[in-house]
Amino acid sequence: MRDTTFVIPYRDRQSHLDTFIPHLTRYLQNADFTWQIVVVEQEAGKPFNRGKLLNIGFIESESNYFVFHDVDMLPVTVDYSPCFGVKQLAGNRVQRVDFLGGVTMFQSSAFYQCGGYHNDYFSRAEDNEMRFHLRRCKIPVHEKHGHFRTMNHARPLLEFDKALWEKAKQPRTQTNQLMVCNYAILSDKKEHGYRRLLVSI
């Protein structure tokens, strides 16, 4: 079992992935912990569901720690060392309060305790919902923001959606979303330096 699994939610950004994988691999080459990279790719047909892809990466891997990492964020100076509970590694210039997106590290026991990300958030706001949920679970988030270089990509949706923000504040009906995370693995391949899962959700 690896100490740390990097789970990358992914669809339709091959050029980003081609840059990200070798960059992260070089960054981690002198790490004092064992690690693996798992790319969870969503098949076409539905809006992107980042939270569910992260849940799948967690369910399909075994590690003491998980780093949920967007593919467009290249580490420059980041502390990926093991943490207790939850460590938020990326900041946001737009959302300065209750942000939990981009790059977040979970101790596996904390992720089990909170029940994973909500499976029903498509396109955005799964991170907001998780932040509010962690507060209800009394799991603290340690702010340890690193420095990343972000690759450009189109952002067709608003950066902030007030209706989704309000929805994210509501308590879950089903607390343990890992138990109700339904999916099918279409392929499971070993690529150059990482594992790539293609999934249907």
Side-chain angles (χ1 to χ4, degrees), residues 12-13 16 72 124 150-159:
D12 295 336
R13 292 193 196 171
H16 282 179
D72 60 349
R124 61 178 59 250
T150 303
M151 292 182 278
N152 292 328
H153 67 91
R155 297 180 183 274
L157 299 175
L158 293 173
E159 186 72 17

Side-chain angles (χ1 to χ4, degrees), residues 181-200:
C181 183
N182 298 314
Y183 62 95
I185 296 178
L186 304 179
S187 66
D188 184 349
K189 299 179 180 178
K190 291 291 182 65
E191 301 283 354
H192 297 292
Y194 69 100
R195 179 184 176 198
R196 187 167 183 166
L197 299 174
L198 177 63
V199 299
S200 171

Side-chain angles (χ1 to χ4, degrees), residues 54-163:
L54 298 179
N55 286 345
I56 294 169
F58 179 84
I59 293 167
E60 295 294 329
S61 308
E62 290 187 2
S63 283
N64 295 314
Y65 303 92
F66 286 81
V67 178
F68 300 123
H69 207 304
D70 284 358
V71 73
D72 60 349
M73 301 185 69
L74 303 176
V76 178
T77 307
V78 186
D79 180 11
Y80 293 118
S81 62
C83 69
F84 176 78
V86 183
K87 182 164 63 171
Q88 177 58 25
L89 296 172
N92 187 298
R93 291 178 297 174
V94 175
Q95 184 188 326
R96 298 182 182 275
V97 179
D98 291 325
F99 180 69
L100 198 78
V103 186
T104 308
M105 185 172 197
F106 278 81
Q107 189 175 20
S108 60
S109 58
F111 202 69
Y112 273 120
Q113 182 182 344
C114 74
Y117 283 88
H118 204 295
N119 293 306
D120 296 341
Y121 280 77
F122 289 86
S123 300
R124 61 178 59 250
E126 80 294 325
D127 49 350
N128 302 131
E129 194 280 338
M130 174 61 94
R131 185 78 187 229
F132 292 123
H133 181 62
L134 288 172
R135 185 173 296 146
R136 286 190 293 270
C137 293
K138 295 182 170 35
I139 299 174
V141 177
H142 306 285
E143 304 288 347
K144 300 290 184 180
H145 298 177
H147 179 206
F148 297 87
R149 179 165 61 87
T150 303
M151 292 182 278
N152 292 328
H153 67 91
R155 297 180 183 274
L157 299 175
L158 293 173
E159 186 72 17
F160 181 79
D161 186 314
K162 182 172 174 55

